[in-house]
Amino acid sequence: MQIAKNKIVTIDYTLTDDEGVVMDSSKGGEPLAYVHGIGNIIPGLEAALEGKNPGDAFKVTIPPAEAYGERDEELVRVVSRHVFADVDDLEVGMQFQGRSGEHVHEFAVAAIDGDDVTVDRNHPLAGVTLNFDVTVVGVRDATAEELSHGHVHGPDGHGH
Ligand code: ZN
């Protein structure tokens, strides 16, 4: 069965940056299962998988615009250390969740300079070119329930 919109696709993948450093991989764990064609995964990877069959293996380089977007320097702010008064050992690289109204966003501590803490709300992979090494493991039809939920059920997906 070919990969097309609304198929449940299972892939093994390894993600590396441009220096060849492995950033993520399904090796040693479960393959990734997703609903094809509805934006479950980044656009560049979804486009590369279109029309592929089980057993197909390929490499694809995805620019930021087709992955997690370009970095937006407007999302970088300097705040006072007292914002983190309840954090004992504040360190660069720590990740937090913030809330503004209904929206929950994640941000990372990018720099600490005395009382000034630089926080960055960009996605950690924003501005990063992604190199995927992908093997298609399986393709099947989605159930009506999976399509209405927009995600995969069963042993190869999340339960709820
Ligand atoms: Zn569901």
Side-chain angles (χ1 to χ4, degrees):
M1 183 180 283
Q2 250 188 345
I3 296 176
K5 187 172 162 70
N6 293 339
K7 301 297 184 194
I8 304 296
V9 180
T10 310
I11 58 172
D12 271 321
Y13 69 95
T14 296
L15 169 61
T16 53
D17 67 12
D18 277 342
E19 275 76 53
V21 177
V22 174
M23 294 190 285
D24 193 13
S25 178
S26 63
K27 289 201 177 85
E30 291 294 307
L32 172 72
Y34 75 97
V35 186
H36 189 79
I38 63 167
N40 273 183
I41 60 173
I42 57 172
L45 186 57
E46 191 160 66
L49 282 157
E50 181 78 27
K52 295 285 195 295
N53 290 283
D56 286 352
F58 62 94
K59 293 180 180 181
V60 59
T61 296
I62 302 174
E66 294 295 310
Y68 292 95
E70 303 290 350
R71 282 184 54 79
D72 179 356
E73 296 310 319
E74 295 281 303
L75 297 178
V76 179
R77 293 276 162 79
V78 177
V79 300
S80 169
R81 176 72 175 79
H82 79 74
V83 171
F84 299 96
D86 57 346
V87 181
D88 287 336
D89 298 303
L90 192 68
E91 285 178 25
V92 170
M94 279 182 164
Q95 309 236 357
F96 295 90
Q97 279 196 340
R99 180 179 281 277
S100 49
E102 295 283 287
H103 297 280
V104 176
H105 55 260
E106 303 208 340
F107 61 92
V109 173
I112 304 171
D113 181 13
D115 198 43
D116 291 337
V117 178
T118 304
V119 296
D120 186 349
R121 281 172 53 194
N122 283 286
H123 188 284
L125 294 178
V128 178
T129 297
L130 305 179
N131 303 287
F132 280 94
D133 191 337
V134 180
T135 301
V136 180
V137 177
V139 184
R140 66 169 170 85
D141 287 316
T143 65
E145 191 183 48
E146 285 171 328
L147 288 181
S148 75
H149 288 200
H151 56 229
V152 181
H153 291 167
D156 56 351
H158 88 133
H160 54 128

